[in-house]
């Protein structure tokens, strides 16, 4: 009899907890990021925001006047009928209540330190996470499911993640519940969180901030293009240089060398002149002295040839 009563009490407490946890919305904000609380005061005649526990009043609204309590005015502002936390601190974690016309809504706010992650389109990335004694793993992208994997083997990928998310095969044995995403897309940008035990326990590390997915690796592609262009222009430059050298050579052959020939024929013209005049050698033509002397020997040659 006592036993069944105990069971009934446990059952009822369990149900109550369930109802309570369902009623409490939970949300998160990254450290140092702003956070807008969900309650919209324009729909209320009176409203108040408080943090519990212990209960402290943060702000009050009495249509149309909004007032932030003393001591919170640096931290909070009023923006478009909402309460805004300017820059989240670790001590801002906790439970908040929004009471609108007497109706209370609760929010469990978590402040998370995120590891920054960078990726380009079509990259494969791995987000490390570890947990021991896990029975299931849940990865969330912002507030949407990326992947849920249970010890019994059931796999439940989120919309848009089918076929491109994976975990280690032995993840429950090793505690390595790192998530691998293949073929990263622009729409994958956002906050990733790692959970175990039906989303109740955080894996370690818990949060990643993939704030931006860069364009498909077109920048390195452009780089090879520009490298190619550079190489091409270098080749063209070298070719032009070679062509210039060849043209210069041809010009030398066509114009300069015949002139040299002319100059070399002119001494031969004077070759005989000193011979005939004997004295008319200018100093510049003194070089021709030797041929002149040689001409003596050449003159002897014909004499040698005369016996023929
Ligand atoms: C708050 O509610 C009013 C009235 O419904 C609406 O016009 C306004 O856009 C809401 N503000 C925000 C930020 O949702």
């Amino acid at each position: 009899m006592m036993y069944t009563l105990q069971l009934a009490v446990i059952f009822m407490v369990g149900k109550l907890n369930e109802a309570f946890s369902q009623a409490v919305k939970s949300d998160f904000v990254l450290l140092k990021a702003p956070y807008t609380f969900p309650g919209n005061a324009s729909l209320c005649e009176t409203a108040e925001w408080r943090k519990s526990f212990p209960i402290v009043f943060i702000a009050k609204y009495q249509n149309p006047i909004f007032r932030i309590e003393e001591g919170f005015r640096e931290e909070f502002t009023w923006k478009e009928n909402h309460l805004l936390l300017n820059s989240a601190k670790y001590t801002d974690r906790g439970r908040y209540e929004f009471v609108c016309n007497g109706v209370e809504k609760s929010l469990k706010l978590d402040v998370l330190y995120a590891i920054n992650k960078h990726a380009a389109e079509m990259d494969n990335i791995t987000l490390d996470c570890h947990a021991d004694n896990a029975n299931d793993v849940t990865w969330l992208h912002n507030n949407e499911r990326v992947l849920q994997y249970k010890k019994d083997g059931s796999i439940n990928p989120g919309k848009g993640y089918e076929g491109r998310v994976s975990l280690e095969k032995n993840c429950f044995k090793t505690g390595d519940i790192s998530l691998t995403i293949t073929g990263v897309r622009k729409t994958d940008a956002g906050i990733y969180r790692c959970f175990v035990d039906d989303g109740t326990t955080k894996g370690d590390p818990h949060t990643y901030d993939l704030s931006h997915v860069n364009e498909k690796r077109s920048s390195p592609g452009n780089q090879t293009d520009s490298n190619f262009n550079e190489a091409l222009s270098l080749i063209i430059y070298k070719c032009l240089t070679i062509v210039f050298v060849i043209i210069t050579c041809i010009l030398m052959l066509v114009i300069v060398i015949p002139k040299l020939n002319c100059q070399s024929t002119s001494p031969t013209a004077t070759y005989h002149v000193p011979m005939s005049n004997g004295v008319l050698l200018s100093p510049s033509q003194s070089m021709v002295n030797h041929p002149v002397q040689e001409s003596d020997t050449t003159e002897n040659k014909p004499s040698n040839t005369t016996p023929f």
Side-chain angles (χ1 to χ4, degrees):
M1 179 66 189
M2 277 296 278
Y3 182 69
T4 41
L5 196 69
Q6 259 182 341
L7 268 184
V9 168
I10 288 166
F11 178 76
M12 279 179 66
V13 169
K15 276 284 163 203
L16 269 175
N17 275 341
E18 212 172 87
F20 190 70
S21 66
Q22 272 171 2
V24 179
K25 187 179 180 281
S26 68
D27 206 354
F28 72 93
V29 57
L30 295 189
L31 201 64
K32 294 180 183 168
Y35 181 75
T36 303
F37 286 87
N40 185 339
S42 72
L43 308 169
C44 319
E45 196 53 39
T46 62
E48 63 187 34
W49 289 259
R50 52 195 193 211
K51 190 180 180 198
S52 56
F53 299 92
I55 291 175
V56 283
F57 290 92
I58 298 167
K60 282 183 176 144
Y61 176 78
Q62 177 85 55
N63 190 6
I65 295 156
F66 183 86
R67 192 186 122 88
I68 294 174
E69 298 294 318
E70 203 96 29
F72 290 100
R73 289 178 190 162
E74 280 189 10
E75 264 192 90
F76 294 89
T77 41
W78 173 238
K79 193 186 164 198
E80 293 161 4
N81 301 307
H82 286 258
L83 181 68
L84 174 79
L85 177 62
N86 300 323
S87 171
K89 304 184 302 300
Y90 225 57
T91 48
D92 291 324
R93 302 164 109 185
R95 190 177 145 153
Y96 291 82
E97 284 151 11
F98 172 61
V99 186
C100 173
N101 299 337
V103 179
E104 184 185 307
K105 279 177 185 163
S106 297
L107 169 80
K108 202 172 140 249
L109 185 68
D110 203 355
V111 178
L112 302 173
Y113 172 79
I115 296 169
N116 285 316
K117 202 82 188 173
H118 302 277
E121 278 181 292
M122 297 313 292
D123 275 0
N124 300 337
I125 56 166
T126 296
L127 306 176
D128 290 326
C129 187
H130 302 268
D132 62 352
N133 288 321
N135 286 310
D136 60 79
V137 181
T138 306
W139 276 94
L140 298 181
H141 173 218
N142 298 331
N143 281 310
E144 303 291 318
R145 186 181 66 241
V146 173
L147 182 68
Q148 190 177 49
Y149 182 51
K150 290 184 181 170
K151 223 173 186 173
D152 65 18
S154 69
I155 302 168
N156 197 357
K159 202 163 168 277
Y161 286 98
E162 300 91 344
R164 57 187 198 97
V165 282
S166 58
L167 297 170
E168 286 282 324
K169 216 177 201 175
N170 299 325
C171 67
F172 291 116
K173 210 171 174 184
T174 60
D176 182 354
I177 51 171
S178 306
L179 176 78
T180 298
I181 306 174
T182 53
V184 168
R185 300 170 185 172
K186 287 227 145 199
T187 49
D188 292 342
I191 310 298
Y192 287 82
R193 290 179 294 157
C194 165
F195 289 97
V196 292
D197 304 335
D198 263 336
T200 58
T201 306
K202 295 176 188 174
D204 180 26
H206 175 58
T207 317
Y208 290 89
D209 183 2
L210 181 65
S211 55
H212 189 70
V213 175
N214 297 315
E215 288 280 312
K216 192 178 176 179
R217 294 213 176 271
S218 54
S219 39
N222 279 348
Q223 224 164 36
T224 54
D225 273 4
S226 70
N227 281 349
F228 176 75
N229 287 341
E230 231 168 73
L232 193 70
S233 58
L234 194 69
I235 287 170
I236 290 172
Y237 173 76
K238 281 183 176 176
C239 284
L240 284 177
T241 311
I242 289 167
V243 167
F244 175 76
V245 167
I246 289 171
I247 288 174
T248 311
C249 286
I250 290 170
L251 284 178
M252 288 270 281
L253 284 171
V254 170
I255 298 169
V256 181
I257 293 195
K259 276 195 179 170
L260 279 175
N261 282 342
C262 285
Q263 279 177 1
S264 65
T265 50
S266 60
T268 49
T270 55
Y271 175 76
H272 297 284
V273 177
M275 273 305 297
S276 53
N277 294 345
V279 263
L280 277 172
L281 283 172
S282 66
S284 65
Q285 283 170 325
S286 61
M287 284 285 282
V288 197
N289 269 339
H290 299 286
V292 173
Q293 279 169 351
E294 273 174 16
S295 67
D296 286 333
T297 55
T298 47
E299 260 210 345
N300 290 341
K301 273 175 189 169
S303 61
N304 288 341
T305 53
T306 38
F308 274 94

